[in-house]
Amino acid sequence: MPASGQDGTESEAERMPVTSGVGRTTREYLKACTAPSHDRLDGRLGTLTEGSERDYADFLEIQYRARQDVELWLADRAPTSGPPGQTGLIAQDLKMLGRAAPTDFPALETPADADPIGVCWVMAGSSLGNRAILARLAKTGMQWPTAFLSDRRMTAYWQDLRPILERPHSPDRDRAALAAAQATFAHFNAVVAHALSPVAA
């Protein structure tokens, strides 16, 4: 869920204009209500992808730790409608950088009635930021492994998910989706804070 790059590619937050308060669609509603935590995460992760190879490896480790239990949660709650798993690709990139995939990762804590569509939106939207990072790395000539960033499956999944997210906003129905999305951003931000502590905590 990194921020948009200098090449002008937009992040998920930037691609979702908000109209009439919290939005007329599920997508606009989720965007408006999660903007602060989304922006915070984008800013903190973005700095790691603009630094050294070590910073980039740290970025991948954070992604692995944060995504591991999210993928397990989705496999349980949305086994046929969730996004493709990407931790295997992250582990592949880490191995090429001389690092082993983390063996410790925190659990994703969500309300009992959380709607998986909120988690799916967060994960699918991250592919837009990944494309921006990939384009930036290509422009700077960096030869770091990018199996994770270049995964086209998540981009395709995002396109499949969009029609569902463009449904008219319903406060009663979308409240559970928002709870899931907020929990996912909180989960990622907590992993980042722990990894970068005390600097980013």
Side-chain angles (χ1 to χ4, degrees), residues 121-193:
W121 169 70
V122 174
M123 303 306 285
S126 70
S127 66
L128 302 173
N130 285 352
R131 284 164 49 194
I133 294 172
L134 186 65
R136 185 166 64 245
L137 292 180
K139 282 188 176 182
T140 57
M142 295 297 185
Q143 299 298 312
W144 300 334
T146 58
F148 166 58
L149 295 178
S150 60
D151 184 13
R152 294 182 178 273
R153 299 173 305 150
M154 190 65 87
T155 303
Y157 177 79
W158 166 242
Q159 295 302 325
D160 291 339
L161 188 66
R162 285 194 65 172
I164 300 173
L165 296 169
E166 294 298 342
R167 65 194 181 189
H169 167 54
S170 167
D172 291 338
R173 181 194 60 213
D174 289 342
R175 190 174 295 111
L178 174 61
Q182 289 174 325
T184 306
F185 278 120
H187 174 75
F188 269 83
N189 272 309
V191 173
V192 173

Side-chain angles (χ1 to χ4, degrees), residues 44 48 58 61-62 65 189-201:
R44 299 163 95 186
L48 292 176
D58 289 342
E61 284 193 358
I62 288 170
R65 283 195 170 94
N189 272 309
V191 173
V192 173
H194 181 267
L196 302 184
S197 180
V199 176

Side-chain angles (χ1 to χ4, degrees), residues 1-177:
M1 282 141 266
S4 56
Q6 295 177 353
D7 60 356
T9 305
E10 295 177 313
S11 71
E12 171 63 3
E14 292 167 328
R15 288 172 63 92
M16 299 190 298
V18 178
T19 57
S20 62
V22 296
R24 297 176 298 183
T25 67
T26 295
R27 188 175 72 149
E28 291 175 342
Y29 171 71
L30 294 176
K31 183 268 178 180
C33 295
T34 61
S37 56
H38 193 166
D39 290 344
R40 185 182 186 206
L41 180 62
D42 280 359
R44 299 163 95 186
L45 285 179
T47 59
L48 292 176
T49 63
E50 297 174 354
S52 65
E53 181 176 303
R54 179 178 178 179
D55 291 331
Y56 180 64
D58 289 342
F59 162 78
L60 292 175
E61 284 193 358
I62 288 170
Q63 290 284 352
Y64 189 95
R65 283 195 170 94
R67 288 170 181 266
Q68 186 67 34
D69 201 64
V70 174
E71 291 184 2
L72 293 175
W73 189 94
L74 285 168
D76 179 61
R77 298 287 295 273
T80 61
S81 59
Q86 294 185 298
T87 50
L89 296 177
I90 300 172
Q92 176 183 321
D93 287 340
L94 284 170
K95 183 177 181 180
M96 294 185 69
L97 290 170
R99 293 198 191 183
T103 57
D104 59 311
F105 47 88
L108 171 64
E109 302 289 345
T110 62
D113 62 345
D115 185 341
I117 193 67
V119 181
C120 292
W121 169 70
V122 174
M123 303 306 285
S126 70
S127 66
L128 302 173
N130 285 352
R131 284 164 49 194
I133 294 172
L134 186 65
R136 185 166 64 245
L137 292 180
K139 282 188 176 182
T140 57
M142 295 297 185
Q143 299 298 312
W144 300 334
T146 58
F148 166 58
L149 295 178
S150 60
D151 184 13
R152 294 182 178 273
R153 299 173 305 150
M154 190 65 87
T155 303
Y157 177 79
W158 166 242
Q159 295 302 325
D160 291 339
L161 188 66
R162 285 194 65 172
I164 300 173
L165 296 169
E166 294 298 342
R167 65 194 181 189
H169 167 54
S170 167
D172 291 338
R173 181 194 60 213
D174 289 342
R175 190 174 295 111

